[in-house]
């Protein structure tokens, strides 16, 4: 199989550069090892004089990267508009933050169509396309419109929200109908799967029989594929990273003090305000913990042009300043707050240094930081993971200390419990989590999805639609879409 992986961004994987997100960090090792072609945005845009999509290609291990300049006229509406001001808040159950215009939706569809045209250059008889995440929900339909009959898979890294939330997304019905062009749709958790199937059955009037939905495209399989990491590799990286200058300086600065760590993009889904409030409450209720533990919170800015993100950054900075002013001393800062990214190597060392990992999103598809924190620990003296029950990782890491991120008092008590947990209990919990990580790695996730995608075509070959029918169907739909937006 000639596998083409598609995502909004790609990662070059340079050792000392910060990672651009969980998806990029997850895909990097499997693309390097599998020989796949990974197609995504170059981070640049071009004007309309570009007749056909142009890809800059470079080697990545056994595979390759293909980076596209996306169309300038539609990038803002596609990325900051529909993808991140409509889909992202909806998928994370924040209907109050959904903002999008009809123009944003049109731009989203235009960029999906642009990417489909770019992918044609990689089409071979044995090609399979595996599309990643909410940026390209409609990409499969655009490929079918161009006559592509090869296997198409899609994996959603975020949660899939309940039906009442998804109905708040403009053009939701048309968009989700277009997702059924994929042969296989994968989700992180069973809850996500059930929410998607509920929408399909209630809003589209279709039936999911044993995980298979039949539509005018043919058969679409929907299944759960929880994403993992490479725990052994990350553990080795963490052990070596102790000697890294950034990690060494942090260790020296602690001077016997315990450390809790949070590592997140600066996003309202991550529960950062509630997390800081929980530490504030802990130091207020248990003042003896002052000077004995500090929080290192790394919050990498993203999507700053979107109002909700700018507001969050300002609110979080004010809150950290207030808490430090209230609890700090001339020689002790309760919260070390950094707005910059770090390489995977440095992060591995920072995780290993911290006695408590705090991963408390309000909603998260999986959250690989939780898994990385566990893998990074010293087996002889592991730290404790405090994990939101609303992160997908909580389904697997059930011996973490699970919390409700909306319960500030409860989180404060749980963090204090983590700090005083006896070694024997810490080791028992950690060993159970490591066993789960070893049984569900990133390489297993990759292989399971690709195998399932191949199997859908073996199972469904008699029900495929002719290329002429697909092209005619999507030519008509394209005309209708254009008419509504002009």
């Amino acid at each position: 199989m000639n596998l083409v992986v598609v995502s909004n961004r790609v990662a070059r994987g340079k050792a000392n550069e910060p990672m651009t997100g969980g998806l990029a960090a997850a895909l990097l090792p499997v693309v390097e090892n599998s020989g796949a072609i990974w197609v995504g945005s170059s981070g640049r845009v071009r004007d309309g004089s570009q007749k056909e999509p142009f890809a800059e290609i470079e080697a990545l291990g056994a595979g390759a990267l293909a980076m596209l300049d996306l169309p300038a006229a539609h990038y803002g509406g596609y990325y900051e508009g529909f993808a991140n001001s409509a889909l992202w808040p909806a998928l994370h159950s924040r209907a109050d933050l959904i903002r999008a215009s009809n123009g944003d939706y049109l731009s989203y569809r235009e960029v999906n169509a642009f990417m489909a045209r770019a992918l044609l250059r990689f089409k071979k008889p044995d090609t399979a396309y595996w599309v990643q995440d909410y940026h390209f929900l409609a990409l499969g339909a655009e490929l079918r419109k161009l006559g592509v009959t090869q296997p198409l898979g899609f994996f959603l890294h975020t949660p899939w929200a309940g039906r009442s939330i998804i109905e708040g997304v403009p053009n939701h019905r048309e968009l989700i109908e277009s997702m059924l062009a994929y042969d296989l749709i994968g989700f992180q958790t069973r809850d996500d799967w059930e929410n998607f199937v509920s929408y399909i059955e209630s809003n589209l009037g279709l039936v999911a029989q044993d995980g298979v939905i039949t539509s005018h495209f043919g058969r679409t399989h929907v299944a759960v594929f929880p994403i993992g990491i490479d725990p052994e590799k990350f553990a080795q990286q963490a052990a070596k990273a102790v000697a890294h200058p950034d990690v060494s300086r942090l260790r020296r600065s602690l001077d016997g003090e315990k450390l809790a760590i949070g590592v997140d993009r600066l996003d309202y889904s991550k529960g950062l305000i509630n997390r800081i409030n929980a530490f504030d409450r802990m130091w207020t209720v248990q003042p003896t913990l002052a000077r004995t533990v500090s929080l290192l919170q790394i919050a990498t800015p993203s999507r700053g042009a979107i109002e909700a993100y700018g507001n969050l950054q300002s609110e979080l900075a004010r809150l950290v300043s207030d808490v430090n002013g209230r609890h700090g001393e001339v020689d002790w800062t309760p919260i070390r707050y950094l707005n910059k990214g770090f390489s995977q190597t440095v992060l591995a060392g920072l995780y290993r240094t911290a006695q408590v990992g705090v991963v408390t999103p309000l909603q998260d598809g999986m959250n690989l930081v939780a898994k990385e924190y566990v893998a990074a620990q010293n087996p002889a003296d592991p730290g404790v993971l405090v994990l939101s029950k609303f992160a997908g990782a909580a389904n697997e890491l059930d011996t973490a200390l699970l919390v409700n991120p909306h319960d500030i008092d409860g989180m404060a008590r749980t963090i204090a419990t983590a700090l005083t947990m006896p070694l024997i209990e810490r080791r028992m919990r950690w060993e159970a989590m490591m066993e789960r990580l070893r049984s569900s790695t990133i390489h297993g996730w990759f292989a399971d999805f690709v195998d399932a995608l191949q199997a859908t075509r073996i199972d469904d070959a008699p029900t495929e639609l002719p290329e002429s029918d697909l092209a005619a169907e999507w030519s008509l739909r394209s005309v209708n879409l254009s008419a509504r937006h002009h």
Side-chain angles (χ1 to χ4, degrees), residues 333-449:
T333 302
I335 301 174
R336 305 170 186 224
Y337 178 56
L338 302 177
N339 288 135
K340 62 180 181 179
F342 291 88
S343 68
Q344 286 291 94
T345 298
V346 171
L347 286 176
L350 298 179
Y351 294 143
R352 195 177 181 93
T353 300
Q355 284 74 28
V356 179
V358 191
V359 181
T360 55
L362 306 180
Q363 290 283 337
D364 224 332
M366 178 54 67
N367 196 299
L368 295 181
V369 167
K371 296 188 173 186
E372 290 172 351
Y373 176 80
V374 172
Q377 296 310 296
N378 178 355
D381 187 19
V384 180
L385 176 63
V386 175
L387 177 62
S388 167
K389 65 181 183 179
F390 302 124
N395 292 308
E396 299 171 84
L397 305 181
D398 53 5
T399 57
L401 295 184
L402 299 182
V403 296
N404 174 359
H406 301 285
D407 179 0
I408 305 301
D409 287 323
M411 278 203 293
R413 289 192 299 270
T414 302
I415 294 164
T417 298
L419 290 164
T420 57
M421 185 179 291
L423 175 60
I424 189 169
E425 183 179 354
R426 285 189 277 124
R427 290 178 68 170
M428 178 195 71
R429 290 175 178 272
W430 176 81
E431 287 166 2
M433 289 188 284
M434 277 300 288
E435 186 176 344
R436 295 298 296 270
L437 295 187
R438 293 185 182 112
S439 67
S440 183
T441 69
I442 182 69
H443 303 291
W445 170 80
F446 188 89
D448 288 348
F449 190 97

Side-chain angles (χ1 to χ4, degrees), residues 182 234 301 358:
Y182 291 109
F234 203 85
V358 191

Side-chain angles (χ1 to χ4, degrees), residues 87-95 98 156 158-169 172 176 187 189-200 202-203 363:
L87 288 176
W88 179 271
L91 294 170
H92 290 85
S93 300
R94 290 298 303 271
I98 295 174
L156 184 70
T158 72
W160 186 274
R163 185 164 57 89
S164 63
I165 303 291
I166 297 298
E167 288 172 348
V169 176
H172 58 91
I176 294 169
F187 297 96
T189 72
R190 180 72 182 184
D191 285 347
D192 302 326
W193 184 97
E194 289 177 351
N195 285 340
F196 182 80
V197 168
S198 173
Y199 180 96
I200 293 295
S202 298
N203 293 67
Q363 290 283 337

Side-chain angles (χ1 to χ4, degrees), residues 1-5 34-37 126-130 446 450 453:
M1 176 190 285
N2 173 47
L3 185 65
V4 178
V5 178
S34 70
I37 300 169
D126 64 341
T127 294
Y129 294 98
W130 184 6
F446 188 89
V450 172
L453 180 57

Side-chain angles (χ1 to χ4, degrees), residues 219 456-465:
R219 287 154 57 93
T456 62
R457 278 316 185 85
I458 294 170
D459 294 344
D460 299 346
T463 67
E464 289 180 20
L465 293 180

Side-chain angles (χ1 to χ4, degrees), residues 93-107:
S93 300
R94 290 298 303 271
D96 58 310
L97 295 177
I98 295 174
R99 307 281 188 275
S101 66
N102 283 340
D104 289 339
Y105 179 66
L106 180 59
S107 289

Side-chain angles (χ1 to χ4, degrees), residues 144-147 466-477:
R144 297 295 188 217
K145 178 182 169 182
L146 295 174
E467 286 188 23
S468 59
D469 289 354
L470 287 165
E473 165 71 20
W474 279 95
S475 293
L476 177 61
R477 292 178 66 82

Side-chain angles (χ1 to χ4, degrees), residues 122-186:
F122 304 107
K123 187 179 78 165
K124 298 178 181 177
D126 64 341
T127 294
Y129 294 98
W130 184 6
V131 178
Q132 310 289 325
D133 230 7
Y134 63 100
H135 307 88
F136 294 122
L137 298 182
L139 180 52
E142 297 295 345
L143 286 166
R144 297 295 188 217
K145 178 182 169 182
L146 295 174
V148 172
T149 58
Q150 280 83 350
L152 301 181
F154 175 83
F155 184 79
L156 184 70
H157 292 258
T158 72
W160 186 274
R163 185 164 57 89
S164 63
I165 303 291
I166 297 298
E167 288 172 348
V169 176
N171 304 95
H172 58 91
R173 182 186 176 95
E174 181 177 69
L175 187 62
I176 294 169
E177 281 181 334
S178 75
M179 291 177 67
L180 299 179
Y182 291 109
D183 297 291
L184 175 63
I185 300 175

